[in-house]
Amino acid sequence: MNAIELLTSRSSCSKLELPLPNSEQLDIIYRSALRAPDHAGLRPWKFLVYQSPEALKKLGEQFVAAIEAEEGPLDSAKKDKLLAMPNRAPMVIVAIAEYQSHDKVPKIEQAISCGCAVHGMLLAAQSLGFAGYWRTGPLAFNANLKTQLGVKPDDEIVGFLYLGSPKISVNKPDQVEVSDFFTVID
Ligand SMILES: Cc1cc2nc3c(=O)[nH]c(=O)nc-3n(C[C@H](O)[C@H](O)[C@H](O)COP(=O)(O)O)c2cc1C
């Protein structure tokens, strides 16, 4: 697939399964993240990779601990739901905007840069025959989860990137009208 084909057909896939990319392919995916546009070369990112069954179990337990710290003990149905969340894919990467202090680069630019890194991973995964799904939800904004994951209070979880092999074929994005979004100024 050439670059233009990839860029104009990228699609998320919510149903993911094994196999995972091998270590060489993961290296390509990671390096694609690290080529995100980055004002002043601050590299304001950190990525936590959960890919073993043990690690995914741990992430589920961290989800539970974060919510229980707010709400107190959860009933078993709620707990099971949170524990199962990381298993929506064989691999989850938590993308964190690790803000650097810089007089010309505000936090929003650094968060965008981290988002571009996630986009880069989605594109690289698709080009290698894998797929991904970018999620946030309330847990991404949960201060207790940040503590659980060792994320500093002022930094932010930009997303949970679920990765794996596509279980279902994904539809091409709807054709939108370019002119609805792009206005040529005379
Ligand atoms: C920052 C961000 C957070 C997102 N969070 C969620 C989410 O929590 N749940 C969800 O179903 N989709 C979420 N999405 C959207 C999906 O990742 C996906 O982009 C959307 O379903 C459209 O599919 P497409 O990427 O194939 O166009 C999020 C997207 C972004 C950019």
Side-chain angles (χ1 to χ4, degrees):
M1 185 185 289
N2 73 33
I4 297 301
E5 234 180 282
L6 176 66
L7 286 164
T8 54
S9 72
R10 185 210 57 77
S11 292
S12 305
C13 180
S14 60
K15 305 261 182 282
L16 298 160
E17 63 183 356
L18 288 168
L20 283 174
N22 64 28
S23 56
E24 220 168 281
Q25 292 164 325
L26 283 175
D27 188 60
I28 292 168
I29 292 170
Y30 299 158
R31 282 190 290 110
S32 303
L34 301 178
R35 280 306 308 142
D38 173 21
H39 192 173
L42 299 179
R43 302 203 171 100
W45 330 292
K46 190 162 90 177
F47 304 99
L48 303 177
V49 179
Y50 294 78
Q51 69 183 87
S52 66
E54 296 75 24
L56 291 166
K57 182 167 177 276
K58 184 175 170 185
L59 183 59
E61 289 164 354
Q62 288 170 319
F63 286 171
V64 170
I67 300 295
E68 285 194 333
E70 261 174 16
E71 299 180 12
L74 297 174
D75 64 43
S76 62
K78 259 191 174 174
K79 211 167 173 173
D80 289 348
K81 195 173 168 205
L82 288 165
L83 287 170
M85 278 165 80
N87 294 316
R88 290 187 284 207
M91 174 172 188
V92 181
I93 300 176
V94 185
I96 297 153
E98 228 180 38
Y99 296 120
Q100 311 293 312
S101 174
H102 193 282
D103 56 358
K104 292 203 178 84
V105 189
K107 278 182 165 187
I108 187 170
E109 291 192 8
Q110 300 184 41
I112 290 168
S113 191
C114 186
C116 289
V118 176
H119 188 224
M121 289 193 275
L122 282 168
L123 289 166
Q126 183 168 326
S127 79
L128 293 166
F130 298 94
Y133 202 94
W134 182 347
R135 294 178 191 276
T136 47
L139 279 162
F141 310 103
N142 182 301
N144 298 311
L145 184 66
K146 292 205 299 192
T147 307
Q148 290 282 328
L149 301 184
V151 177
K152 292 197 285 294
D154 289 343
D155 291 341
E156 278 173 305
I157 295 172
V158 164
F160 303 99
L161 178 60
Y162 288 74
L163 281 179
S165 295
K167 216 183 212 171
I168 49 168
S169 75
V170 286
N171 295 325
K172 288 267 156 61
D174 292 332
Q175 288 304 309
V176 289
E177 283 301 325
V178 169
S179 59
D180 287 347
F181 301 95
F182 288 81
T183 305
V184 178
I185 309 298
D186 296 320

